[in-house]
Amino acid sequence: MKCIVTGGNVKALGKAIHSLARVGDEIYVEPLQEGLSMRTVSASRSAYASFLFAPLFFQNYQPTESGYDPDSEAFRCKVHMKSFLAVFRSLPSLEKTVEKCLLSLNPHASRFRVQLHCKYGVVKTHDLPFQECESLQADFDTSQCAHALRAPPRLLADAVVHFPLALAEVTLVASPAGKVSLRSYLEGDTEVTRTMVTELGLNEDEFQTFHIKQEAQITFCLKEFRGLLSFAESSNLSLNIYFDTPGRPAIFTLDDAVLQVHLVLATLEEPESCSSQMTSCTPKPLAPAYDFTGDDIDDYMIAMETTCGGPAGTEPLPSPTFPMGPTSSEAQEPDSDHEGTVPGTPPQKRVRIKGLPQTNYRHEVKNVALPICCFVVLLGTCKMI
Amino acid sequence: AGIFQEFMVQEESVMFRINLSVLLDCLTIFGTSSSPGTQTALRMCYRGYGYPLTLFLEEGGVVTVCKINTQEPEEILDFDFCSTNVVNKIILLSEGLREAFSELDMTSEVLQITMSPNKPYFRLSTFGNAGSAYLDYPKDSDLIEAFHCNQTQTNRYKIALLKPSIKALALSCKVSIRTDNRGFLSLQYMIRNEDGQICFVEYYCCPDEDITEQEI
Amino acid sequence: MRFRGKLVDVACLNHFTRVVNTITKLAKTCTLRFTVDKIYFILNDKVANGGVSMWCELNQENFFDEFQMEGVAAEDNEIYLELTSENFSRALKTAQNAKAVKVKLTNKQCPCLTVAVELPSLSSSSRIVTHDIPVGIIPRKLWNDFREPSVPDFDVSIYLPVMKTMKSVVDRMKNLSNSIVIEANQKGEMNLKIETDLVSVATHFKDLGNPPWVPEHASQNSTEKRHPETMAEARIDIKRLLQLLAGQQVNPAKALCNILNKRIVHFILLHEDFSLQYFIPALT
């Protein structure tokens, strides 16, 4: 395999690698007749991404070595994401100094070489270690998804920017009435009294396609989605989102004449037993938490009596941040579960996963990475062929 | 001594040791970026053995006095790098090396430098976890100001030892890379300060022994 | 108990955001107090913060276009909340080019301060972002812990030099030492000093001026007795001081500090529409 990328496409290639790097640790390179395919799957198999660069993306594209039977299977390999990313690490300098990029895979010489031709005739050559492998393919079908949305990348990028970077997952709620909202998803171990919940509402008319059959709600990981968005934004490609019921994978795609991008993300399956708690913790999906235009004084009533000098039994509400001083008659134990006593706070959420013993996660450190156990693992739909 | 407006040493030579990062913090006490219209004035005094090095800094009527305790000097390591023994020498614009150094694969223990009158002329190679990488500069590149290579030399230098010189590289406009017959490396950075005066910062580094022995 | 406020003016919104950012730099969690015409950010932490306390006060009408509140009771028409200040500044950060921002008290999964932001969109309707910041409601019997700290009977009161200069000096000194001695006299002179095994550094400021405190002030007697050149000093945690200096995004209209010899340093930063007091106790 040998191909040459020039001009602005070098940066696009670099951006693609960066966005693949948000998903997996290895990159599967497969030179096909229809283009160069680069794919990756996350360690937990809950996310899969694929970029297919058409021959026209390149100045020169030779999937197989000259002299070989063009019908024969091309050599495929996988390369460590870190190695690949190192070559394209600095996107600004890639844009500024690199004029041409050569990718060549020579199985006989055991060499996967990436060469960057830079300004002033400087040539950077990277020989990356690789492993021969089978093709990586995920089994998914956008036509099987009940719902579809299409939006310019800017819209979605502007939307996710409101969520903190540390937030792992987001819930997308779409209703046939023409409303889409994104909302912070709080994991089971989150302290509800500490964590800010953000919700953003978008209207149907901001989308290019709005195909929602019935009220739908999915929860997926933000990290990979952000990676794809950043690529979509830089190449100004509209993003398609196909999704179905919770637990079924969501498919995000970008289409261009020389490029096809797919990102498949597992979505959170909300066990029935849990969903009632979920809805009590978060604003109701159909009625947005807040209607900006029409609020009057009744909207923000909060009934919270903190009368002092009440009956002897009345205890002050415990403070979530400071340990209580000797103000209450029965001194509370410092590590007692005092959050639970705040009115309006639901009992601590417990994540229940079928087949696993009920686990209480609340003392675990919040994990920014994929909460694997919460996801319907794609294994089985994403198989090696 | 040209960068000082006044320079007076009463003894033949004075030598003492001070903590460099302390000196730097003292010199930049009013901040690193001088705001327009204000200039920091500096007076440095040393009374003699056993006394601290005293710095008087003044900016906009505010005076800072720093007394940096001096220590017994250590003997200076002499690399005995002599220009008559220089085998290969390349002068190039720092810009060309800056990016290369900033992107060096730090998982590689060594940086291998090849200088040669023939192809590849000037090559920097690393051998890290992410595979090997090398960077070739053509002899006629606009980055190269002077190219005087007499024989092919390939030497490895510990990246950890070269890393501190990146700071000087960042400030410099040109760098002269020389190797002598023993494979010792000299990096000489030309730094132009705000008044247009020129200073040189030199780094010397001995080659990684394993490879030189192999080659001899 | 109800509260609802609305910010429309961009300048007011930016200004309010800056105040909250400043608070965030000084206190991880703070107490927010609403009265009919004022908002206070209070930190009274005795131990966890190294005895540092903070009192920030602003007039709501300088910031809010609409401001309605009903306290716990008619006779105690106030609200005391406790929140993670970073949440508040993060919520306001997303409101940078907002058309309007509403801040209100709501009862979601727990009591929340809801920041609702109306953002411009490409379509006819605006985009709405809401941030629900969990808060703790502080009961009346604890309100006494959040009274305005009394101004100490200080020995010296002096105007501070330009914040930027002071910040860069303290910033360098922080690399060299953990504590700093701040000393000043009634002749407009102030010194910042550190001393370690390696180095001693002293920065001298002069002609700073001393604020004329009203004669009936309690400290008047002690100040008069002092010789104007006598220095009052305090050794304080350098990180606390830097926190205060680094958090100032705008140069205050007036900045001064009061030193109670070997006891406490009291900083007062007066801005046009808000004031910040910060107390750093002396190290022993």
Side-chain angles (χ1 to χ4, degrees), chain A residues 197 203 292 295 300 321-322 344, chain C residues 4 82 102 109 125 130 132:
Chain A
V197 174
N203 266 309
F292 201 88
D295 69 320
Y300 46 84
T321 39
F322 300 120
Chain C
R4 170 188 184 276
E82 190 171 64
K102 282 179 193 169
Q109 66 270 33
S125 52
T130 59
D132 295 327

Side-chain angles (χ1 to χ4, degrees), chain C residues 21-198:
Chain C
N21 287 345
T22 302
I23 301 302
T24 305
K25 292 221 170 77
L26 294 174
K28 233 177 126 220
T29 57
C30 73
T31 299
L32 195 55
R33 173 184 166 203
F34 295 106
T35 65
V36 174
D37 47 20
K38 287 193 172 183
I39 301 175
Y40 302 84
F41 296 89
I42 306 162
L43 177 73
N44 77 331
D45 215 35
K46 297 285 191 291
V47 189
N49 244 315
V52 168
S53 53
M54 174 190 80
W55 181 266
C56 176
E57 165 175 348
L58 44 95
N59 285 324
Q60 56 88 357
E61 58 182 29
N62 288 332
F63 296 87
F64 287 85
D65 293 85
E66 289 170 32
F67 193 92
Q68 290 158 277
M69 63 97 46
E70 266 174 43
V72 173
E75 72 275 16
D76 285 313
N77 197 14
E78 299 191 11
I79 300 174
Y80 281 75
L81 309 171
E82 190 171 64
L83 53 76
T84 306
S85 26
E86 200 199 342
N87 280 340
F88 202 3
S89 56
R90 204 189 280 151
L92 289 170
K93 199 174 143 205
T94 74
Q96 266 166 1
N97 53 354
K99 291 203 264 184
V101 174
K102 282 179 193 169
V103 183
K104 60 182 206 166
L105 204 53
T106 55
N107 198 5
K108 299 277 175 87
Q109 66 270 33
C110 62
C112 282
L113 191 68
T114 295
V115 177
V117 182
E118 186 185 3
L119 292 165
S121 78
L122 298 172
S123 74
S124 50
S125 52
S126 306
R127 283 177 208 160
I128 310 294
V129 185
T130 59
H131 302 278
D132 295 327
I133 306 166
V135 294
I137 307 282
I138 297 171
R140 263 190 275 182
K141 58 163 71 163
L142 296 183
W143 286 8
N144 263 329
D145 295 354
F146 303 96
R147 292 279 167 245
E148 179 167 8
S150 56
V151 175
D153 196 3
F154 48 79
D155 297 304
V156 165
S157 179
I158 191 165
Y159 287 116
L160 290 177
V162 179
M163 284 292 202
K164 205 171 141 262
T165 312
M166 193 165 162
K167 184 190 158 249
S168 75
V169 169
V170 175
D171 196 28
R172 300 298 141 173
M173 288 181 169
K174 178 210 62 188
N175 297 342
L176 303 168
S177 171
N178 294 326
S179 66
I180 185 170
V181 173
I182 176 164
E183 61 175 23
N185 62 19
Q186 287 297 120
K187 258 191 82 192
E189 293 171 333
M190 186 175 102
N191 303 325
L192 299 174
K193 302 198 293 196
I194 57 145
E195 191 159 355
T196 70
D197 294 346
L198 288 172

Side-chain angles (χ1 to χ4, degrees), chain B residues 25 28 30 63-65 67 69, chain C residues 175 197-200 202-204:
Chain B
D25 280 323
T28 55
F30 291 117
V63 177
T64 299
V65 184
K67 291 182 180 144
N69 292 339
Chain C
N175 297 342
D197 294 346
L198 288 172
V199 64
S200 74
T203 297
H204 309 277

Side-chain angles (χ1 to χ4, degrees), chain B residues 10-60:
Chain B
Q10 281 169 345
E11 291 167 54
E12 198 169 299
S13 83
V14 186
M15 190 157 80
F16 51 83
R17 196 166 80 132
I18 52 168
N19 183 308
L20 184 61
S21 69
V22 168
L23 177 64
L24 273 175
D25 280 323
C26 290
L27 286 173
T28 55
I29 192 97
F30 291 117
T32 41
S33 59
S34 54
S35 49
T38 58
Q39 263 198 318
T40 313
L42 164 72
R43 189 153 62 97
M44 242 192 309
C45 314
Y46 178 61
R47 251 178 92 174
Y49 187 83
Y51 283 91
L53 175 73
T54 310
L55 272 60
F56 296 90
L57 296 113
E58 188 269 341
E59 187 184 291

Side-chain angles (χ1 to χ4, degrees), chain C residues 258-273:
Chain C
N258 299 324
I259 302 173
L260 179 56
N261 198 28
K262 295 192 181 344
R263 292 272 301 285
I264 200 163
V265 187
H266 171 211
F267 294 91
I268 306 176
L269 309 179
L270 296 171
H271 289 261
E272 268 169 38
D273 33 29

